[in-house]
Amino acid sequence: MNTPVAPQSLAAIALRLPVSRGAYYGGAWHAPRTGRHLDQISPGTGEPLGAVADCGAEDIDAAVAAAKQAFETWRRVPPLERGKMLREIARILRENAGELAMLDAADCGNPVSEMIADATIAAAQLDFFAGLVTEMKGHSIPMGPDRINFSVREPLGVVGRIVPFNHPFMFVAGKAGAPLAAGNTVVMKPPEQAPLSSLRLAELIDGLLPPGVFNVVPGGRDAGARLASHPDVAKIALIGSAATGRAVMKAAADTLKGVLLELGGKNALIAYPDADPDAVAAGLVGGMNFTWCGQSCGSTSRAFIHEKIYDAVLERVTVRIRHWKPGVPTDPSTTMGAIISKAQYDRVLDYIASAKQEGARLLAGGGRPDDPALAKGLFIEPTVFADVTPAMRIFKEEIFGPVVGVIRWTDEAAMLDQVNAVEYGLTASIWTNDLTTAHRAAARVEAGYIWINDTSKHFLGAPFGGYKQSGIGREECLEELLSFTQEKNININLAGAKAT
Ligand SMILES: NC(=O)c1ccc[n+]([C@@H]2O[C@H](COP(=O)([O-])OP(=O)(O)OC[C@H]3O[C@@H](n4cnc5c(N)ncnc54)[C@H](O)[C@@H]3O)[C@@H](O)[C@H]2O)c1
């Protein structure tokens, strides 16, 4: 169960930075062998949050060695015992949800009020996979009266997990659930832009699991690349961009390890003429996840609105969008946070400039907020462009920022071709009151996760993942657990070990 935290109690939570700033592996803290550190800056205020180890290949090697050794112990821990330990971690996350939310708000710029949900979602994921440990089942296969044939599922070994900045804590904690439940050990590489909550997690759960079972190695591309290519890593799972997905897959190829890839999206919202313009407007702004500046893989950043309701929807969008106002992320009343880094901030502004230049009509936002209290942070207003066309950059490329492009359509077949004319295929949101239309559109859209008359929500147990270049594999479901196992078939000759 989620523990709700009232805004007034959030305001009472002090920002508590982790004391440990190195790598956590083998159940202990280690200074980076690279000798390098990265300064952490709060995106909302520009305040320094201290330096964190910038680990590299040597650190990954040491962590993988510790994880490899721990695998021999962890794989023998009875499944229900493993589940019990994961549930205990989930309990600790809930108990410290406010503190962890405050830390992520300061480090990654998402509003603290929403980051509480991240901690509780991570706890729910751990509970979910803890409950699935006995579903790691094999089968028995009929082979005749004098034989028994059956298969069992075993863990893979050391699993490498690389995660991005948009939900640092939720990913670092929640994504450890499936591989650990299945009996693997994990080397986690948190995002270099926001590693503090992962270090705090390691501090909070230190001693709960046998040493080396769960390891955290902060660093950037070097550390990630070594994890992907390491010969003793049995599987590599990435949440990140399509470009990084390609690099990870190439690095994994040398040792033929499996990959699980959750990548980017350029997702479509499709509104049919029978849909209520007000509901569509709410879906359009809600689906953009402006709370975390659109920095969400599932954001529906291309809205295809039928011409019959186009003007009515846009009119309502300009009203509804006022709910999202950039503000200091650690302030409990803030509804929209800051952009993660200067590089990403410049990138988003560049996309806004390109849309203006290419002839899109700016409907809302389009630049920095003018509030002087926000002058030191990386803030961009929620931005809507109307009259976007397929030739424009903002139609095709993932911005990963608070910018949505609205496209007018008349012909369904042509519209669906445009929806599918991008390299991505992660989510889609379809708005209509007609069941036949909804099914027809859902069948045609090339995406792995589709909402009808809804947006953004994830349903634990339902497979989440992408078509095309949005990824390989499915998460948040039983298949995720099974993807961290391998099947062994055993054939018994009942005649016994006798000479014939
Ligand atoms: N499908 C999903 O579930 C999902 C969820 C959240 C974010 N994302 C995607 O993540 C991207 C935004 O995050 P980002 O900008 O941090 O992505 P990114 O790909 O730049 O970085 C993601 C992680 O990969 C690491 N990395 C970078 N280069 C690497 C390399 N060559 N080898 C190994 N690791 C490497 C980074 O250090 C980071 O930890 C967007 O494309 C977004 O859509 C996808």
Side-chain angles (χ1 to χ4, degrees):
M1 290 292 291
N2 292 358
T3 317
V5 180
Q8 61 273 27
S9 39
L10 267 179
I13 297 169
L15 176 62
R16 179 171 172 180
L17 297 171
V19 176
S20 319
R21 299 301 183 110
Y24 177 80
Y25 54 84
W29 290 95
H30 306 267
R33 295 185 180 197
T34 54
R36 297 191 310 243
H37 288 83
L38 278 177
D39 288 327
Q40 296 301 312
I41 307 290
S42 186
T45 59
E47 280 166 358
L49 298 171
V52 167
D54 178 20
C55 294
E58 316 89 297
D59 303 285
I60 291 289
D61 289 355
V64 170
K68 188 180 175 190
Q69 198 184 349
F71 177 59
E72 293 313 317
T73 314
W74 186 241
R75 69 182 309 181
R76 286 179 178 77
V77 173
L80 289 170
E81 276 298 306
R82 293 201 298 264
K84 207 168 139 189
M85 289 186 227
L86 292 183
R87 284 202 181 89
E88 178 57 11
I89 296 175
R91 190 191 64 74
I92 291 173
L93 301 193
R94 288 194 183 94
E95 209 172 85
N96 295 279
E99 180 200 317
L100 290 161
M102 192 57 83
L103 194 48
D104 262 358
D107 203 15
C108 84
N110 291 346
V112 64
S113 54
E114 292 292 332
M115 296 319 269
I116 288 280
D118 272 28
T120 51
I121 290 169
Q125 290 180 343
L126 289 168
D127 276 346
F128 176 75
F129 288 111
L132 287 181
V133 285
T134 51
E135 293 305 311
M136 242 176 92
K137 292 172 186 163
H139 326 264
S140 72
I141 300 130
M143 287 294 166
D146 51 358
R147 289 194 176 267
I148 292 179
N149 186 295
F150 65 101
S151 64
V152 292
R153 284 193 176 270
E154 297 186 337
L156 300 170
V158 179
V159 166
R161 275 246 175 204
I162 303 172
V163 298
F165 63 80
N166 57 332
H167 295 283
F169 182 72
M170 184 176 92
F171 287 145
V172 164
K175 296 298 171 187
L180 290 179
N184 304 278
T185 54
V186 171
V187 176
M188 181 68 68
K189 196 205 78 62
E192 61 272 38
Q193 304 93 333
L196 293 176
S197 59
S198 66
L199 303 180
R200 184 68 190 131
L201 169 70
E203 286 182 350
L204 283 169
I205 66 168
D206 182 36
L208 233 151
L209 298 168
V213 169
F214 177 68
N215 311 278
V216 178
V217 184
R221 183 180 300 205
D222 293 357
R226 178 59 180 158
L227 198 54
S229 66
H230 198 295
D232 287 334
V233 171
K235 181 154 185 161
I236 186 84
L238 165 79
I239 304 180
S241 63
T244 304
R246 285 179 211 110
V248 161
M249 209 166 164
K250 282 181 191 148
D254 282 342
T255 49
L256 292 175
K257 62 171 65 80
V259 294
L260 175 58
L261 304 175
E262 291 289 353
L263 309 176
K266 189 70 196 176
N267 311 300
L269 177 144
I270 303 167
Y272 279 86
D274 69 310
D276 172 9
D278 201 37
V280 172
L284 195 155
V285 290
M288 263 311 291
N289 302 306
F290 284 124
T291 306
W292 32 92
C293 299
Q295 297 173 126
S296 176
C297 56
S299 295
T300 39
S301 56
R302 292 183 301 154
F304 294 81
I305 312 295
H306 189 270
E307 63 171 356
K308 196 173 149 220
I309 55 170
Y310 190 81
D311 293 334
V313 169
L314 291 187
E315 194 185 307
R316 287 159 176 81
V317 162
T318 54
V319 177
R320 284 194 170 269
I321 205 164
R322 291 182 203 142
H323 169 74
W324 285 274
K325 276 202 177 58
V328 173
T330 51
D331 179 340
S333 66
T334 291
T335 53
M336 180 175 180
I339 305 279
I340 183 70
S341 64
K342 181 69 169 58
Q344 181 61 10
Y345 173 84
D346 290 341
R347 209 172 147 260
V348 176
L349 290 180
D350 185 54
Y351 274 112
I352 290 174
S354 82
K356 287 178 183 166
Q357 202 185 0
E358 290 173 344
R361 175 161 58 97
L362 183 65
L363 204 73
R368 279 192 65 86
D370 48 21
D371 182 350
L374 303 180
K376 290 190 178 151
L378 300 168
F379 296 99
I380 296 178
E381 295 168 313
T383 298
V384 184
F385 280 104
D387 306 344
V388 168
T389 63
M392 296 177 186
R393 276 179 68 207
I394 66 160
F395 181 94
K396 294 177 276 206
E397 298 172 25
E398 185 187 41
I399 302 173
F400 218 59
V403 184
V404 56
V406 188
I407 302 116
R408 185 196 296 261
W409 68 273
T410 47
D411 177 73
E412 186 190 37
M415 176 271 291
L416 289 168
D417 284 347
Q418 288 182 6
V419 165
N420 291 333
V422 289
E423 66 184 26
Y424 298 107
L426 191 56
T427 70
S429 166
I430 298 164
W431 292 79
T432 175
N433 290 303
D434 185 88
L435 203 56
T436 311
T437 303
H439 278 289
R440 189 173 64 239
R444 276 285 317 275
V445 171
E446 295 167 359
Y449 207 73
I450 295 189
W451 299 279
I452 311 282
N453 301 327
D454 215 332
T455 60
S456 300
K457 295 187 184 72
H458 285 222
F459 304 91
L460 200 47
F464 183 81
Y467 274 29
K468 303 197 279 189
Q469 296 192 35
S470 285
I472 295 176
R474 293 295 178 267
E475 298 199 342
E476 305 171 14
C477 57
L478 177 62
E479 287 74 17
E480 180 179 349
L481 179 89
L482 299 183
S483 78
F484 292 109
T485 68
Q486 52 195 334
E487 210 165 357
K488 180 182 276 176
N489 185 263
I490 299 168
N491 185 62
I492 304 173
N493 179 355
L494 292 176
K498 295 182 203 138
T500 51

